[in-house]
Amino acid sequence: MDFNTQRAGLNKLLSVMYGDEMTLEILLGDLGFEDSQIERLQDQHLEQVVAQFLEIIHKRLTSDSGKDTYYQILSRRYGLDGEPLEQLSTIAARYKYSPEYLRQLFEEIIERCKSKKWQTELKTGLKHIVVEQLGKMNERPAREHVAAKLERLTNLRGAADVAKMDYEAKRAEILKKIQADLDALDLEFKPVLEAAEENIAALENEIKTDVLLYGESVSGGSYRAAYTQGRVSWDNEGMTKYAESHPDILQFRKQGNPIVSLRAVNKD
């Protein structure tokens, strides 16, 4: 297994998925990692990052399709296993598929990889992989470093707010010149639109009631009235207490990855 082959194959796949000659390094930059952090990964832990990231792709594609073959085809086409990549014709012969069938199958695999949901999930997975690796390397930024960035963010937001206020003021000046025409238009269409919305709301309410009584989803026109069973929820506090005396239940507990949100603070 040659890591350079594996890495080059991953970069080709990322370019297909995200476009614009995407590479792992560029993607890490897009995820908020600094150049120095990316360089440190390349020095010590990049192979582990690539291996874990490919495993996420493997599991996601297998789970999505129900077939491990999909990932194996992708792996052979791009050399994700570290072996020289193969042409689709060679892969088709290995699996005893016709070249045309393999081509169509490969297009389906790529379309799955290019979906927005896939792209978002893979970015999230990669970010947590790298955060974990950098944590193991004690590559945690100093508190002052983060605080300085928050100060920069404050300044950038302030500048953006000033620009937005300027935009709104100039926009208001333009609207003022045509406000009379807009008011007349609103007056003309308001009763028509209100009547239409009332009719729609009434019919939607009837449909929802009908489907609740019918007990199944129904399609018609360009709509589908989806019937969904009530959501099952658990008392988290109660389950935590129950687990104290029944720890075996903890094997069914899953905890998501941590997230970071930015909030404005009032310094007054």
Side-chain angles (χ1 to χ4, degrees):
M1 198 282 286
D2 180 66
F3 175 64
N4 289 329
T5 299
Q6 186 181 53
R7 180 179 175 181
L10 175 59
N11 285 337
K12 288 181 180 179
L13 176 59
L14 292 176
S15 292
V16 171
M17 292 173 59
Y18 296 99
D20 299 327
E21 298 299 321
M22 179 63 74
T23 66
L24 181 61
E25 289 75 11
I26 294 174
L27 186 57
L28 290 175
D30 291 346
L31 290 174
F33 295 102
E34 298 180 1
D35 290 342
S36 60
Q37 294 170 328
I38 297 173
E39 289 174 2
R40 287 276 286 152
L41 279 175
Q42 291 176 331
D43 291 340
Q44 298 186 31
H45 292 269
L46 191 60
E47 289 191 35
Q48 296 179 38
V49 169
V50 169
Q52 291 181 55
F53 187 41
L54 288 175
E55 185 59 25
I56 288 179
I57 296 175
H58 187 174
K59 289 181 178 179
R60 184 67 177 82
L61 187 57
T62 302
S63 173
D64 200 28
S65 65
K67 301 176 182 178
D68 187 61
T69 307
Y70 279 34
Y71 179 77
Q72 299 306 324
I73 292 172
L74 192 70
S75 178
R76 286 287 65 247
R77 182 66 187 94
Y78 291 108
L80 301 181
D81 53 4
E83 300 299 327
L85 60 83
E86 294 179 336
Q87 299 299 318
L88 291 180
S89 57
T90 304
I91 301 172
R94 172 180 289 110
Y95 287 98
K96 296 181 172 57
Y97 293 152
S98 70
E100 178 59 22
Y101 176 75
L102 195 283
R103 183 189 65 78
Q104 294 177 1
L105 187 59
F106 184 71
E107 288 179 356
E108 178 186 338
I109 294 170
I110 293 300
E111 285 305 310
R112 290 176 185 269
C113 294
K114 291 170 67 175
S115 72
K116 293 297 183 182
K117 183 178 180 181
W118 252 70
Q119 292 180 0
T120 300
E121 289 183 1
L122 292 182
K123 282 184 176 181
T124 301
L126 177 60
K127 185 160 191 172
H128 287 295
I129 288 172
V130 175
V131 166
E132 182 180 355
Q133 288 295 338
L134 290 174
K136 292 178 180 178
M137 298 161 58
N138 292 321
E139 281 290 320
R140 293 182 174 85
R143 188 181 189 87
E144 295 77 9
H145 183 68
V146 179
K149 286 187 175 181
L150 289 171
E151 189 66 33
R152 284 170 50 201
L153 179 62
T154 300
N155 295 334
L156 287 173
R157 287 286 189 187
D161 288 342
V162 170
K164 186 175 181 180
M165 290 172 61
D166 188 32
Y167 161 76
E168 294 291 350
K170 292 181 178 179
R171 184 173 183 272
E173 290 179 10
I174 295 173
L175 286 175
K176 189 175 182 180
K177 299 175 183 177
I178 60 172
Q179 193 61 53
D181 292 337
L182 290 175
D183 290 342
L185 187 64
D186 288 343
L187 188 62
E188 177 184 353
F189 279 89
K190 183 178 180 180
V192 177
L193 294 175
E194 286 181 347
E197 289 300 325
E198 288 177 2
N199 290 334
I200 289 171
L203 184 55
E204 285 181 346
N205 195 33
E206 290 180 16
I207 292 171
K208 290 177 181 178
T209 300
D210 286 344
V211 173
L212 282 174
L213 292 170
Y214 185 64
E216 294 181 16
S217 299
V218 179
S219 297
S222 58
Y223 288 92
R224 176 176 175 80
Y227 178 86
T228 306
Q229 294 285 353
R231 180 175 175 269
V232 176
S233 60
W234 295 85
D235 178 356
N236 191 53
E237 183 178 352
M239 290 299 292
T240 300
K241 291 181 179 178
Y242 182 79
E244 292 176 359
S245 56
H246 300 80
D248 54 309
I249 200 173
L250 292 175
Q251 64 180 308
F252 303 108
R253 180 178 182 271
K254 292 184 178 180
Q255 182 172 349
N257 291 313
I259 61 173
V260 177
S261 60
L262 299 178
R263 301 175 182 175
V265 293
N266 190 349
K267 293 186 177 181
D268 295 338

